[in-house]
Amino acid sequence: MSLASLVRKLEQFVRLSPVDHVILNRASTERVRHFGPRVDIVREGEKPKDVHLILSGWACRYKQLEDGRRQVVSFFLPGDICDVNVFILREMDHSIGTITAVSIADLSREFFDKVAAGHPRIVTAFWWETLVNAAIQREWTMSLGQRTALERMAHLLCEIWLRLRLAGLTQGDSCDFPLTQGDLADATGLSKVHVNRTLQELRADGLIVLKGKTLAVPKLDRLMRAALFNPNYLHMDHEGRQLDAVPVSPDAVAG
Amino acid sequence: MSLASLVRKLEQFVRLSPVDHVILNRASTERVRHFGPRVDIVREGEKPKDVHLILSGWACRYKQLEDGRRQVVSFFLPGDICDVNVFILREMDHSIGTITAVSIADLSREFFDKVAAGHPRIVTAFWWETLVNAAIQREWTMSLGQRTALERMAHLLCEIWLRLRLAGLTQGDSCDFPLTQGDLADATGLSKVHVNRTLQELRADGLIVLKGKTLAVPKLDRLMRAALFNPNYLHMDHEGRQLDAVPVSPDAVAG
DNA sequence: CGTTTTCAATAACGTATGTTACATTGCACC
DNA sequence: GGTGCAATGTAACATACGTTATTGAAAACG
């Protein structure tokens, strides 16, 4: 129920003015909606009306084939924006569903028009968000096409970890992790059974501690190596602002 | 060496003004470069300088792992724009390489600033391009995660076919097709051997005729069915402007 | 606070796709 | 108009991952 993650993330990239803060703050307090866990926010085929900003909770974007096969194509964490400017399209080509209980703010076309007209830094920040999301989608393509089950799993966990940390949602080496093995299967294109095997292997190698709904990553650099993880695609730095500008543990980024 | 494909594609979605045409025309004749086949236009790690518009030829975006595994994450056909606004990022997270000989126009940051300031329809058209590219990338995620080799191959061929047709680059039921089986392997995440097997099967089923550098699709609707292809993600229509506004064969879009 | 449902774990077995190897065809280039 | 190299085609064999089934342990629920 907070704007903090979005602002923290965007300010990683662009310095926003006090007026920009007011604009974002207003946008994220008007028109707030709440959803339970495992519920659809948006359905494929609908006309897109608003852009959604995740204030709290986890959600995912997914697609389904006629015969029921389901692929999660991205995860939404607090501070994520679903699709800047989607409303120019006639209909949604995918669905968005919640994982946990979720609060969202609906951002209208008018909001974007106003931003475009008078708030160039927010425009830049939103372009950054858009470009990073595109890069993440490409990296998923890479993972699904080339990485083995183990690498793929490790990669996904690294990515989520770094994104959570950027949003200020990690505590030490652990974080909240509400995804089930079924969710992980739908996201990695593996079967649930093989997801289980793969997690066991990561545990046995001491790369993760995953229990209940909590994930710990004791040695991020080792997990990254197992994943062939190159953080460049997250574009977490800009014009001298390095990732390390955020207080993080020293082993945070390998390389 | 022509702007026609871009304009044809964008006008499918937004009606551009005469001034818009002039702007695009100027942008695509200044700063043109030519490349041979199988050559890199952009390399991962470089600082993005311009946005590239493909005037002629085929190219692809690809990523590589440290150990050499390579994934093609998208194809660029004539009329495609590589990445609207990439230059706000510090460095490229992927490479762009040519398939055939290619001519591109470099679009500068100033061009985009000018467009943003005074040409709202071009802005909308570019957003549409951006959103469709994102949707294509999601569909690739779906393909790689859920579709079988045969479905995946068929799906890729459908997609390329429809994109070429939108750009006005098909003749009857056939089109130029310069991709090698190696390219198809890198794009589908399959081995070259299995790509060969899969193409044989599509041929045996009469779904494609692929020989030399020409592809024919005698029954698009059947190929689409084999691919579980749903064209909605290409967003080829807008506010009453249907796909069929372009002169096409009746079996063009199934469903 | 027992009951029901979901989620995780594990085993046995099946298969789609990968790998290696080599033959064939096509095509660019002297 | 051969000669060389890239692209295609095929076969035999290997394996990473899928499927089905069952059990146990947590949560969710009334």
Side-chain angles (χ1 to χ4, degrees), chain B residues 7-242:
Chain B
V7 168
R8 178 181 170 134
K9 188 177 61 167
L10 297 184
E11 288 227 296
Q12 192 61 30
F13 185 71
V14 196
R15 183 153 287 290
L16 299 170
S17 73
V19 178
D20 293 336
H21 278 96
V22 172
I23 296 285
L24 291 174
N25 192 57
R26 194 174 313 144
S28 69
T29 47
E30 296 168 4
R31 311 182 65 212
V32 172
R33 288 189 291 158
H34 306 280
F35 296 86
R38 306 290 164 184
V39 138
D40 279 346
I41 293 178
V42 167
R43 282 225 181 69
E44 181 169 349
E46 288 177 0
K47 169 134 190 68
K49 253 188 78 60
D50 292 295
V51 168
H52 309 295
L53 163 63
I54 309 286
L55 297 172
S56 69
W58 291 35
C60 70
R61 190 179 345 232
Y62 68 91
K63 306 196 68 158
Q64 247 170 328
L65 296 178
E66 309 149 19
D67 64 6
R69 276 175 282 174
R70 168 185 154 105
Q71 177 70 35
V72 167
V73 297
S74 43
F75 287 114
F76 294 115
L77 309 178
D80 284 343
I81 298 175
C82 285
D83 267 301
V84 173
N85 269 334
V86 244
F87 35 64
I88 74 171
L89 298 180
R90 279 219 327 176
E91 74 174 56
M92 294 300 289
D93 55 59
H94 60 268
S95 304
I96 298 178
T98 63
I99 307 280
T100 65
V102 160
S103 300
I104 66 173
D106 290 328
L107 308 179
S108 64
R109 187 191 268 262
E110 291 69 40
F111 167 76
F112 282 91
D113 289 345
K114 187 167 64 177
V115 163
H119 303 276
R121 312 223 228 179
I122 300 182
V123 170
T124 301
F126 282 177
W127 265 113
W128 174 76
E129 168 97 8
T130 300
L131 292 168
V132 170
N133 284 337
I136 290 174
Q137 202 70 52
R138 280 189 296 259
E139 192 66 44
W140 281 43
T141 305
M142 178 84 198
S143 271
L144 287 163
Q146 302 299 329
R147 280 187 250 257
T148 64
L150 192 91
E151 293 164 349
R152 212 182 293 173
M153 209 46 238
H155 195 279
L156 178 59
L157 297 179
C158 282
E159 178 185 302
I160 290 177
W161 175 266
L162 289 180
R163 288 171 57 196
L164 284 175
R165 202 183 55 187
L166 194 69
L169 298 171
T170 54
Q171 302 85 37
D173 69 355
S174 80
C175 67
D176 226 55
F177 194 83
L179 301 181
T180 66
Q181 295 186 2
D183 295 328
L184 291 170
D186 289 345
T188 54
L190 300 168
S191 67
K192 288 198 296 185
V193 172
H194 205 64
V195 163
N196 189 291
R197 290 196 271 249
T198 304
L199 290 175
Q200 302 289 0
E201 199 176 339
L202 288 170
R203 278 194 267 249
D205 295 350
L207 297 176
I208 61 169
V209 181
L210 177 56
K211 210 173 163 217
K213 300 206 165 311
T214 301
L215 168 69
V217 181
K219 287 287 181 190
L220 182 56
D221 55 336
R222 284 190 56 217
L223 186 63
M224 284 171 128
R225 244 176 283 127
L228 301 181
F229 191 93
N230 179 341
N232 68 350
Y233 75 101
L234 293 173
H235 298 282
M236 285 175 159
D237 52 358
H238 181 57
E239 287 166 18
R241 289 175 80 78
Q242 295 297 325

Side-chain angles (χ1 to χ4, degrees), chain A residues 111-240:
Chain A
F111 167 76
F112 283 91
D113 289 346
K114 187 166 67 179
V115 164
H119 303 276
R121 312 223 228 180
I122 300 183
V123 170
T124 301
F126 282 177
W127 266 112
W128 174 76
E129 167 98 7
T130 301
L131 292 167
V132 169
N133 284 337
I136 291 174
Q137 201 70 52
R138 269 179 244 132
E139 192 66 43
W140 281 42
T141 306
M142 178 85 200
S143 270
L144 288 163
Q146 302 299 328
R147 280 187 250 257
T148 65
L150 193 91
E151 293 163 350
R152 214 183 293 173
M153 230 10 263
H155 195 278
L156 178 58
L157 297 178
C158 282
E159 178 184 302
I160 290 177
W161 175 265
L162 290 179
R163 288 172 58 195
L164 284 175
R165 203 183 53 187
L166 193 70
L169 297 171
T170 54
Q171 302 86 37
D173 70 356
S174 80
C175 67
D176 226 55
F177 194 82
L179 301 181
T180 66
Q181 295 185 0
D183 295 328
L184 291 170
D186 288 345
T188 55
L190 300 168
S191 67
K192 288 198 297 188
V193 173
H194 205 64
V195 164
N196 189 290
R197 291 196 270 249
T198 304
L199 290 174
Q200 303 289 2
E201 199 177 340
L202 287 171
R203 278 193 267 249
D205 295 350
L207 297 176
I208 62 169
V209 181
L210 177 56
K211 210 173 162 218
K213 298 203 166 313
T214 301
L215 168 70
V217 181
K219 288 286 181 191
L220 182 56
D221 55 337
R222 284 190 56 219
L223 186 62
M224 284 173 127
R225 245 176 282 124
L228 301 180
F229 191 93
N230 179 341
N232 68 351
Y233 76 101
L234 294 172
H235 298 283
M236 285 175 159
D237 51 357
H238 181 58
E239 286 165 19

